[in-house]
């Protein structure tokens, strides 16, 4: 019979047994390496080797065994030294070397010139096959094209010889050359006069609405009759289920577990001495070095304020250019201003009167005299007797029956017991398998045993598996 190997994950049938996988495996392949190497030959494998215990002390909390001293290793071992100012390096004065500078370099000294000849081309010469006949160099354009006798077009532009002006800013502009002054032209106004047209016919006030409107009578508005209030004949029951069934219990008030607030105070006087004042030792500190700025000394003599512009500039007399545009001549009218307008002439003010306010007529007359303190609710209120409301809630009472309880269910009548399968991986050693080894990923590999050896293995392990297991609810 062919034997093969299985993992505990493959033997399990219930899905609850898994091997502890190790994520630090060097290879993803779970198969063991069966090849030979120099390391495997020289170093044979050993049995179970215990892990070497670490000699490193455990990091445990050490409680305080006494009062903490304020002296540190820096304070105990520090020795103050006298410090001096860092010396300043004075740069030497530059003195140029005498004699001529040797401009020779190693490149000029060691370089040897070579005569370079032109490299002959490696490309073979092109064999041109020429014929002995003459080439006709006349193209089709020259053969077919016939030139026309066209006369040169004369320029319409007049000849203008530029002559530079003899006076500064003497060149006139194109606007001055082309602009010809013209007199003022009076144009007629075609706008119609804004005069109101008054009609001599009196306004009759008749409109199309007044002519075409036909008045229809309105139907009376439907009003629903008001229902008369009918009080209930049953007395009002103001008892609720909570008021009827609730029975109050008298309990002691809850005690507070909060500690009492006591003021922490002492009668001793504060002496003002602290650990810093007691152990602090003042050090002598030298003042920082202050650099004194040199006093400003002004230059001797007067300052020459003349510039190249003042010395070389030659002023020119420039006359202001006169405008060519004619001056607009405004006509002054000495006649008095006439304040009449079309609005004042055509508008006639109407006599307006203030409209009176439209007030509703008061239906209820205002009372006269002193208020007696009687309201409409007190005067019209009719007291009614209160009748308790009947509760329609069913009575919460236990109904007892003399008929015996029928506890028969569909599950009890139709349930058939079945054999319960036991997962072979639940045993320390699965039935029919023998533990072989554990691979690098943490899988437990079991080797299948033939059926002839299963009975002997059961007796050796002392595990007896029942044939059928019946489970009843």
């Amino acid at each position: 019979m062919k034997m093969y190997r299985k993992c505990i994950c493959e033997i399990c049938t219930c899905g609850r047994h898994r091997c502890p996988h190790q994520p630090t495996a060097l290879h993803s392949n779970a198969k063991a390496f069966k090849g030979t190497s120099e390391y495997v030959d020289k170093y044979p494998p050993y049995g179970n080797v215990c892990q070497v215990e670490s000699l490193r002390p455990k990091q445990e909390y050490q409680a305080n065994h006494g009062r903490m001293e304020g002296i540190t290793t820096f304070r105990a071992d520090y020795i103050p030294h006298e410090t001096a100012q860092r010396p300043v390096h004075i740069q030497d004065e530059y003195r140029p070397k005498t004699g001529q500078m040797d401009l020779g370099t190693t490149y000029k000294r060691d370089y040897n010139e070579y005569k370079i000849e032109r490299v002959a081309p490696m490309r073979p010469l092109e064999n041109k096959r020429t014929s002995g006949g003459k080439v006709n160099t006349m193209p089709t354009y020259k053969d077919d094209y016939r030139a026309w006798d066209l006369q040169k077009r004369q320029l319409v532009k007049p000849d203008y010889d530029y002559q530079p002006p003899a006076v500064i800013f003497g060149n006139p502009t194109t606007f001055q050359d082309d602009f010809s002054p013209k007199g003022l032209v009076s144009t007629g106004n075609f706008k119609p006069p804004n005069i109101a047209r008054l009609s001599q016919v009196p306004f009759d006030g008749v409109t199309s609405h007044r002519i075409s409107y036909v008045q229809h009578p309105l139907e009376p508005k439907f009003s629903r009759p008001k229902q008369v209030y009918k009080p209930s004949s049953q007395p009002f029951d103001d008892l609720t289920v909570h008021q009827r069934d609730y029975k109050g219990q008298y309990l002691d008030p809850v005690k507070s577990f909060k500690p009492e607030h006591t003021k922490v105070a002492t009668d001793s006087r504060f002496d003002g001495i602290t650990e810093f004042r007691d152990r602090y030792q003042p050090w002598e500190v030298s003042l920082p070095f202050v650099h004194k700025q040199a006093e400003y000394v002004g230059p001797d003599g007067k300052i020459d304020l003349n510039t190249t512009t003042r010395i070389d500039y030659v002023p020119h007399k420039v006359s202001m250019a006169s405008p060519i545009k004619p001056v607009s001549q405004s006509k002054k009218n000495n006649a008095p201003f006439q304040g009449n307008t079309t609005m004042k002439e055509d508008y006639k003010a109407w006599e307006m009167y203030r409209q009176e306010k439209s007030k509703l007529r008061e239906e209820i007359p205002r009372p006269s005299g002193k208020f007696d303190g009687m309201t409409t609710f007190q005067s019209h209120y009719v007291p009614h007797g209160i009748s308790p409301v009947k509760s329609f809630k069913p009575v919460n009472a236990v109904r007892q029956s003399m008929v015996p309880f029928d506890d028969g269910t569909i599950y009890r009548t139709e349930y058939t017991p079945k054999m319960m399968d036991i997962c072979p991986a639940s045993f320390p050693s699965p039935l029919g398998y023998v533990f072989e080894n554990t691979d690098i990923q943490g899988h437990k590999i079991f080797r299948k045993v033939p059926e002839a050896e299963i009975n002997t293995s059961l007796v050796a392990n002392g595990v007896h598996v029942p044939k059928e297991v019946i489970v009843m609810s």
Side-chain angles (χ1 to χ4, degrees):
M1 183 180 181
K2 185 178 179 181
M3 295 188 298
Y4 57 95
R5 301 155 67 247
K6 280 188 177 182
C7 175
I8 195 69
C9 305
E10 300 174 353
I11 297 173
C12 177
T13 58
C14 61
R16 291 178 295 178
H17 301 89
R18 291 288 182 271
C19 296
H21 294 194
Q22 297 178 0
T24 57
L26 298 177
H27 304 282
S28 59
N29 190 7
K31 296 182 180 180
F33 180 71
K34 296 183 179 181
T36 58
S37 62
E38 185 180 0
Y39 183 81
V40 176
D41 296 339
K42 289 184 178 181
Y43 301 97
Y46 293 93
N48 296 330
V49 180
C50 298
Q51 188 177 1
V52 180
E53 297 182 358
S54 177
L55 301 179
R56 185 177 181 182
K58 296 182 180 180
Q59 188 178 1
E60 297 178 352
Y61 173 72
Q62 298 179 1
N64 188 11
H65 300 290
R67 187 178 180 182
M68 182 178 178
E69 297 181 358
I71 300 174
T72 61
T73 54
F74 181 77
R75 290 186 178 183
D77 302 338
Y78 178 72
I79 301 173
H81 298 279
E82 295 181 358
T83 57
Q85 191 176 2
R86 188 175 180 181
V88 181
H89 176 69
I90 301 174
Q91 192 175 2
D92 299 336
E93 186 181 356
Y94 173 73
R95 295 180 180 178
K97 297 181 179 181
T98 57
Q100 295 181 357
M101 184 176 180
D102 186 12
L103 299 176
T105 60
T106 55
Y107 181 78
K108 289 184 178 181
R109 184 181 60 193
D110 300 337
Y111 180 71
N112 299 324
E113 297 182 358
Y114 295 96
K115 292 182 179 180
I116 300 174
E117 297 179 355
R118 189 172 182 180
V119 181
M122 301 299 294
R123 185 177 179 182
L125 298 175
E126 185 179 358
N127 296 327
K128 297 181 179 181
R129 299 178 181 180
T130 58
S131 59
K134 292 184 178 181
V135 180
N136 185 12
T137 58
M138 180 66 67
T140 55
Y141 180 78
K142 288 186 177 181
D143 192 9
D144 300 338
Y145 179 72
R146 298 290 182 269
W148 293 355
D149 296 335
L150 297 176
Q151 297 180 358
K152 190 174 181 180
R153 195 173 183 181
Q154 297 181 359
L155 295 176
V156 185
K157 185 178 178 181
D159 296 337
Y160 178 74
D161 297 335
Y162 175 74
Q163 296 180 0
V167 186
I168 300 175
F169 298 107
N171 282 337
T173 60
T174 53
F175 181 78
Q176 293 177 357
D177 294 340
D178 300 338
F179 181 74
S180 57
K182 299 178 181 178
L184 298 175
V185 180
S186 59
T187 56
N189 188 7
F190 294 94
K191 187 176 181 180
N194 192 6
I195 300 173
R197 298 180 181 179
L198 301 177
S199 177
Q200 301 296 332
V201 181
F203 181 67
D204 53 358
V206 178
T207 60
S208 59
H209 179 74
R210 291 186 178 183
I211 297 172
S212 305
Y213 181 72
V214 179
Q215 188 175 3
H216 299 278
L218 297 177
E219 297 179 358
K221 187 177 180 181
F222 173 75
S223 60
R224 186 184 299 273
K226 190 175 181 180
Q227 297 180 0
V228 182
Y229 173 72
K230 294 180 181 181
S232 178
S233 60
Q234 299 293 334
F236 179 69
D237 185 9
D238 58 346
L239 295 177
T240 60
V241 182
H242 180 75
Q243 292 179 357
R244 184 182 60 192
D245 299 339
Y246 178 71
K247 297 178 181 180
Q249 297 179 2
Y250 297 96
L251 300 176
D252 297 335
V254 181
K255 295 182 180 181
S256 176
F257 291 93
K258 187 176 181 182
E260 297 180 359
H261 181 70
T262 57
K263 184 178 181 182
V264 180
T266 178
D267 298 335
S268 60
R269 188 178 181 182
F270 180 65
D271 53 0
I273 298 174
T274 60
E275 184 181 359
F276 179 76
R277 292 185 179 182
D278 190 11
R279 299 182 180 276
Y280 177 71
Q281 299 176 3
W283 300 85
E284 295 181 359
V285 181
S286 59
L287 297 176
F289 175 74
V290 180
H291 176 72
K292 294 183 179 180
Q293 191 175 4
E295 297 181 358
Y296 173 74
V297 180
D300 299 336
K302 295 182 179 180
I303 301 176
D304 188 8
L305 299 177
N306 291 329
T307 60
T308 53
T309 305
R310 290 188 178 186
I311 296 172
D312 301 336
Y313 179 72
V314 179
H316 298 278
K317 293 182 180 181
V318 180
S319 58
M320 190 173 181
S322 59
I324 306 300
K325 189 176 180 180
V327 181
S328 60
Q329 299 178 0
S330 59
K331 297 180 180 180
K332 294 183 179 180
N333 192 1
N334 298 326
F337 178 71
Q338 186 179 4
N340 295 332
T341 60
T342 54
M343 176 74 180
K344 288 185 177 181
E345 292 178 357
D346 300 337
Y347 179 72
K348 305 299 180 181
W350 294 354
E351 295 181 359
M352 300 295 295
Y353 298 98
R354 190 171 183 179
Q355 189 176 2
E356 297 180 357
K357 294 182 179 180
S358 58
K359 295 183 179 180
L360 297 177
R361 186 177 179 182
E362 296 181 356
E363 298 179 357
I364 301 174
R366 291 186 179 183
S368 59
K370 191 176 180 180
F371 179 62
D372 54 356
M374 182 64 69
T375 60
T376 55
F377 180 78
Q378 293 178 358
S379 59
H380 299 290
Y381 179 72
V382 179
H384 300 281
I386 299 174
S387 58
V389 180
K390 184 180 179 181
S391 176
F392 293 94
K393 186 177 180 180
V395 181
N396 191 6
V398 180
R399 296 181 180 180
Q400 297 181 358
S401 177
M402 303 305 293
V403 181
F405 177 69
D406 184 13
D407 57 350
T409 59
I410 303 175
Y411 180 78
R412 292 199 174 197
T413 57
E414 298 183 0
Y415 178 75
T416 55
K418 298 180 182 179
M419 183 181 64
M420 182 179 179
D421 297 334
I422 300 176
C423 180
S426 60
F427 299 100
S429 179
L431 181 64
Y433 292 90
V434 178
F435 178 75
E436 186 174 344
N437 59 357
T438 304
D439 60 357
I440 57 175
Q441 292 186 349
H443 293 277
K444 294 181 180 181
I445 307 300
F446 290 85
R447 180 173 54 85
K448 192 172 183 180
V449 183
E451 295 181 358
E453 300 179 5
I454 292 177
N455 298 328
T456 58
S457 61
L458 287 174
V459 175
N461 296 333
V463 180
H464 300 277
V465 182
K467 295 181 179 180
E468 294 183 359
V469 178
I470 299 174
V471 179
M472 296 292 292
S473 63

